[in-house]
Amino acid sequence: MNQSWQKPFIKPGRLRYNPASIMKKLWILLISLLVLTACQQQDETDGIPLPQDSYELVTLTPKPTETAVPTEVPILEDASGIGRAFFRAWEGMDFLGMYSLLSPQTQAVVDSQSFVELYQDAMATAVVRSISSQPLSMIQEDDEAEFGARVTWETAVVGSITRDYTVPLVYEQGRWGILWDESLILPELAGGYRLFMDYRIPARANIYDIDGLALAYQGSIFTLGVIPGQIEDEEAMLDALSPVLGLPPAEIQAIYAPALPDWYWPIGEAREEVMQQYGASLQPFIGKGLTSPDTRLTLLYTPEGVAPHIVGYTGFIPAEEIEAYQAQGFRGDEQVGRAGLELWGEEYLNGERGGVLTVVGPSGEYIATVQEKEAKQARSLYTTINREFQHDVEEMLADAIISHPIAQAGSVIIMDVNSGAIRAMASYPAYNPVVFDSLRQDSAVALGQLFSDPGQPLLNRAAQGAYPPGSTFKIITLAAGLNSGQYTADTRYTSIGSWNRLGDSFIKYDWLEGGHGTISYRQALVVSCNSCFYDMGYVLDEFDPGFLPFTARQFGLGQPTGIELPEETGLIPDNEWKLQTQGEGWSRGDAVNMAIGQGFVLVTPLQMVDIVAAIANGGTLYQPTLIDRIGAGGDAPEEPTPAQIRGELPLSPENLATIQDALWRVANTQSGTAAYRFERLPIVVAGKTGTAESSSSDPHAWFVGYAPAEPYTLRDGALIESPEIAIVVMIENAGEGSDVAAPIFRRLVEMYYGITPRARLPWQ
């Protein structure tokens, strides 16, 4: 755009509001009109002879001719309205609306596209979130005016910028218009200057375990490479490289084998701590085949990639989200959290951006500083897990699934029953977050393999896997029966091995051939009698079709737990849901299936561990959490995470005691479905087995429970008098809960309390 034009200069003092001058002009106009009217009347009567009926021409003496003076039209419109409208349009970022208020002479010099682009560029460069304005003054005389306003830019990077503006206006072509130049973007831009933002970005903070051991942290990576033709002592060089790269010499040699003698060939990467340990041994080979290492700062994880589904990973901002991130002060090319706690804790881990907003000339030369703001330090996250224990749990789960003849996937969770703090959470298959380092060798190939893996290693099955709960749901069904008033703990039912209240075409069978005989409903939970709970589901549906779904929701099912990770809500079906999704209403058979945790009902392992923890602690549903505290930084102190209660179980003390007793009997009496799995375990546990039918031929294996179920003395002499941890094990398509999930549950208890296992897992 041509910048040679200048706004017209208005002499100081010319624009004055002068009432006497305006009144004088109005009186002159009024007197002129009166004189003109009087002259017309005199011409018709007195001074001029009337025409005569005669053949003679009558010659009139002409009057002296006077030159007409144009009448001055007063400008009655208030110019301040245009000034106000200009700033209101700016507040709405309506730049075309602003352009429409410019004077014709300005619009002849500046086209609308250039005008809009200038404002858009300034707003984007300064990362302006909003504009506010306040009128200050108005001076108007004849066809010129000046409007004063105070404007504040609220920016995402350098805070508030406030400037006073003086807006010249001119009346032409029948309207007021603004005489514009770049100073009306920002006074410092007069003369055609532009803005430049120099971002100040704090280092990304770390993620630690509860004891301050790093799970994800900023560190240096060293890339090692060779030029084959310059190698002098290959054997010695390979021996020195082997501990650095963690590879045998022969494998390192094979990496650069395709290279020509004068090619540079990268052979691997090493962490800063590894280079500190072995760097001296590499020094003799620098320049003799081994090149000087290249260093870059990146986000690092533990070598084993501990807790990948908890920690998550980072990545570049997706194109569709860049605008939203830029509004928060991001430049747009940074890496941000994309999953796990990296995503949840983005506002802490990334700190608060700062910057220096400057005015630059046509060649980018510095002119002046508009405003600057220091960045604020990012804040680290301290999780509720212990890194070593989490690693051991992950290894145990992977080993259990890999060694099992049919199991392929699963998850486990250990939670503190008195706070909701997660002590371990593992999902298999898993992945190492290091593959998301886009600058690693072959990162694109590794990521492609990860995203296309049919085992879905990125899925956190503990929080995002939704499954039929099978017999673990009988806990909720029994609670609903007791709360309905239709049953007591000692209400008896005779199980004969089959159940046909839905008709002979819909006969259902017990897992135990011949049934369990006549037993109480307390005992029905212990032996997991299907026909007992089929009948309870039938009766509850007769009593109130919505009662069982309502009770399930009171237990926290069908809704998020509130943990800091992405999670599924599961499904608690009812009549409304079925009408909307299946096109038909709720049936008695739906309630019967739901009573044993089948049909449409779906739950997550995370929801189930929360329920079991509440049963163990006396009825309080805590919000599960992975954050122990948020570190200090950016003028903020360290913040511990308090336990948050999200509800209470709908159980009276008496009914809660009934369920606790039944879960104890499951693991500790001869009739319990899992008692044989806990024989000679020093610590007493309580729990419930579950075998859930799935679309596969093999059912899912569940075990949910807590420990200790009786007072227990630790090795150091400390006494645990009440339950401390809740555990859920869910192994997909692996068979019976008592055969697969219960032994893994036992192993987790042994690991948590430092008990030496008596034997390997049954299938190993």
Side-chain angles (χ1 to χ4, degrees):
M1 183 179 68
N2 186 353
Q3 303 295 338
S4 62
W5 68 279
Q6 298 292 327
K7 95 180 150 180
F9 177 71
I10 300 176
K11 294 181 179 179
R14 177 176 176 182
L15 297 182
R16 297 288 186 270
Y17 178 69
N18 192 333
S21 175
I22 293 176
M23 289 301 297
K24 178 180 179 182
K25 293 177 181 179
L26 290 176
W27 276 111
I28 291 172
L29 177 60
L30 181 59
I31 293 170
S32 299
L33 291 174
L34 291 173
V35 169
L36 180 60
T37 302
C39 289
Q40 289 175 345
Q41 292 174 349
Q42 184 177 9
D43 287 346
E44 294 174 359
T45 55
D46 299 328
I48 302 175
L50 295 174
Q52 302 294 319
D53 186 11
S54 171
Y55 292 102
E56 294 183 16
L57 290 175
V58 178
T59 303
L60 301 179
T61 303
K63 289 189 173 186
T65 303
E66 295 183 3
T67 304
V69 178
T71 303
E72 184 176 351
V73 180
I75 300 171
L76 300 178
E77 182 182 352
D78 184 1
S80 67
I82 302 300
R84 293 174 185 272
F86 183 81
F87 289 106
R88 282 199 301 270
W90 196 358
E91 290 173 349
M93 300 297 176
D94 179 10
F95 304 127
L96 279 176
M98 297 167 68
Y99 183 81
S100 70
L101 300 172
L102 304 188
S103 67
Q105 61 177 288
T106 301
Q107 291 177 343
V109 177
V110 185
D111 63 272
S112 61
Q113 182 177 345
S114 299
F115 179 88
V116 169
E117 288 176 355
L118 284 171
Y119 274 91
Q120 287 177 336
D121 181 67
M123 298 298 97
T125 302
V127 198
V128 175
R129 290 173 170 167
S130 65
I131 295 286
S132 60
S133 63
Q134 175 187 357
L136 296 179
S137 63
M138 177 65 202
I139 302 174
Q140 177 177 331
E141 182 177 337
D142 298 334
D143 59 354
E144 294 180 347
E146 284 183 351
F147 181 80
R150 179 164 294 157
V151 178
T152 299
W153 297 8
E154 294 294 345
T155 78
V157 179
V158 296
S160 300
I161 300 172
T162 301
R163 296 290 186 272
D164 288 346
Y165 292 71
T166 299
V167 182
L169 298 99
V170 64
Y171 192 91
E172 58 183 9
Q173 298 183 18
R175 69 177 180 87
W176 284 103
I178 292 171
L179 293 171
W180 182 90
D181 69 7
E182 287 90 340
S183 67
L184 294 185
I185 301 175
L186 198 70
E188 290 93 329
L189 300 183
Y193 295 137
R194 296 290 178 267
L195 293 173
F196 174 77
M197 179 70 80
D198 184 13
Y199 284 82
R200 298 288 187 260
I201 301 176
R204 190 174 182 85
N206 302 331
I207 299 177
Y208 298 104
D209 79 347
I210 195 168
D211 299 315
L213 298 177
L215 298 170
Y217 60 99
Q218 289 286 334
S220 296
I221 281 287
F222 293 81
T223 301
L224 302 174
V226 299
I227 300 176
Q230 297 180 4
I231 297 175
E232 296 182 4
D233 187 346
E234 186 172 34
E235 182 178 356
M237 183 190 75
L238 291 173
D239 287 341
L241 285 169
S242 182
V244 177
L245 298 178
L247 296 172
E251 289 189 23
I252 299 173
Q253 186 182 45
I255 293 173
Y256 62 81
L260 293 178
D262 59 344
W263 286 6
Y264 166 78
W265 199 268
I267 57 174
E269 295 180 330
R271 294 167 178 262
E272 185 174 5
E273 57 267 29
V274 174
M275 290 297 291
Q276 288 175 349
Q277 183 176 0
Y278 297 105
S281 64
L282 298 179
Q283 193 61 39
F285 306 101
I286 301 295
K288 299 177 180 180
L290 186 66
T291 62
S292 296
D294 292 328
T295 309
R296 61 183 173 85
L297 189 66
T298 187
L299 187 61
L300 299 177
Y301 303 90
T302 61
E304 306 85 2
V306 175
H309 297 101
I310 294 174
V311 173
Y313 53 85
T314 62
F316 288 107
I317 302 171
E320 64 274 13
E321 298 179 26
I322 284 182
E323 186 175 343
Y325 272 96
Q326 287 176 333
Q328 301 173 46
F330 285 75
R331 201 170 46 211
D333 59 353
E334 303 97 329
Q335 292 208 13
V336 297
R338 302 304 300 158
L341 294 181
E342 292 281 14
L343 172 60
W344 176 86
E346 183 66 34
E347 64 175 301
Y348 302 109
L349 296 169
N350 241 317
E352 186 176 322
R353 277 146 168 70
V356 182
L357 184 64
T358 60
V359 177
V360 297
S363 301
E365 68 275 17
Y366 171 83
I367 303 298
T369 296
V370 176
Q371 188 147 306
E372 60 182 302
K373 180 182 176 183
E374 290 298 320
K376 285 190 177 181
Q377 177 187 354
R379 303 175 66 187
S380 295
L381 304 181
Y382 292 81
T383 64
T384 57
I385 65 175
N386 173 277
R387 189 174 74 179
E388 182 179 355
F389 180 65
Q390 172 73 23
H391 175 252
D392 292 345
V393 169
E394 290 171 0
E395 280 201 332
M396 187 279 297
L397 177 64
D399 180 59
I401 293 175
I402 292 170
S403 63
H404 193 274
I406 61 173
Q408 308 239 338
S411 63
V412 299
I413 310 175
I414 302 175
M415 188 171 86
D416 187 321
V417 304
N418 296 307
S419 67
I422 301 296
R423 299 306 180 198
M425 174 187 284
S427 177
Y428 183 86
Y431 68 98
N432 193 325
V434 74
V435 301
F436 286 91
D437 182 352
S438 61
L439 297 179
R440 284 177 58 89
Q441 299 173 40
D442 301 324
S443 65
V445 174
L447 277 176
Q449 293 173 343
L450 182 62
F451 281 106
S452 62
D453 190 326
Q456 295 182 280
L458 291 171
L459 179 69
N460 180 8
R461 288 168 162 82
Q464 295 174 292
Y467 311 92
S471 292
T472 62
F473 192 83
K474 291 172 183 174
I475 297 171
I476 289 92
T477 305
L478 179 57
L482 297 176
N483 288 346
S484 71
Q486 308 297 303
Y487 295 88
T488 68
D490 298 318
T491 299
R492 304 182 76 77
Y493 178 85
T494 300
S495 164
I496 61 174
S498 62
W499 182 86
N500 68 348
R501 289 187 73 173
L502 292 176
D504 291 339
S505 298
F506 301 97
I507 296 176
K508 294 181 176 291
Y509 296 92
D510 242 316
W511 66 267
L512 180 64
E513 186 176 353
H516 295 87
T518 301
I519 56 175
S520 68
Y521 267 92
R522 182 199 311 270
Q523 185 65 9
L525 187 61
V526 176
V527 299
S528 200
C529 173
N530 282 346
S531 59
C532 294
F533 287 95
Y534 288 141
D535 206 70
M536 180 174 277
Y538 186 97
V539 171
L540 286 174
D541 197 66
E542 278 188 323
F543 167 70
D544 179 352
F547 195 77
L548 183 54
F550 173 74
T551 302
R553 294 189 184 98
Q554 287 182 302
F555 272 75
L557 298 178
Q559 56 197 284
T561 66
I563 198 169
E564 298 88 354
L565 300 177
E567 60 175 321
E568 286 293 319
T569 59
L571 174 63
I572 298 301
D574 56 17
N575 183 60
E576 182 180 358
W577 172 86
K578 194 176 179 188
L579 281 171
Q580 291 178 350
T581 61
Q582 309 297 311
E584 60 183 22
W586 189 254
S587 70
R588 188 78 25 97
D590 293 324
V592 168
N593 284 331
M594 186 178 186
I596 64 160
Q598 295 290 167
F600 299 110
V601 62
L602 296 172
V603 303
T604 68
L606 182 62
Q607 290 170 332
M608 293 306 295
V609 79
D610 205 22
I611 288 173
V612 175
I615 292 171
N617 69 32
T620 300
L621 276 168
Y622 285 103
Q623 177 178 305
T625 182
L626 284 157
I627 301 298
D628 180 73
R629 61 195 185 276
I630 297 169
D635 301 327
E638 183 174 275
E639 294 179 39
T641 301
Q644 296 187 43
I645 296 173
R646 71 184 188 103
E648 296 288 334
L649 295 183
L651 291 169
S652 67
E654 180 183 6
N655 290 341
L656 176 61
T658 294
I659 292 175
Q660 290 172 334
D661 177 63
L663 298 184
W664 180 90
R665 291 171 181 271
V666 167
N668 296 284
T669 63
Q670 187 175 1
S671 59
T673 55
Y676 70 106
R677 293 299 184 193
F678 300 103
E679 291 177 353
R680 303 174 69 183
L681 178 65
I683 188 167
V684 176
V685 303
K688 180 72 187 78
T689 54
T691 303
E693 295 178 5
S694 69
S695 56
S696 169
S697 58
D698 299 303
H700 301 314
W702 286 88
F703 195 88
V704 304
Y706 57 87
E710 292 180 1
Y712 176 70
T713 303
L714 298 175
R715 288 179 176 178
D716 62 3
L719 177 66
I720 305 174
E721 297 189 68
S722 58
E724 185 177 38
I725 56 171
I727 303 176
V728 164
V729 178
M730 211 298 299
I731 309 298
E732 296 179 17
N733 307 120
E736 298 288 331
S738 58
D739 290 340
V740 181
I744 294 175
F745 181 99
R746 173 175 178 147
R747 180 60 50 82
L748 291 169
V749 172
E750 291 169 338
M751 291 170 61
Y752 188 85
Y753 288 104
I755 300 169
T756 303
R758 298 188 62 86
R760 296 179 64 82
L761 295 171
W763 55 88
Q764 292 179 329

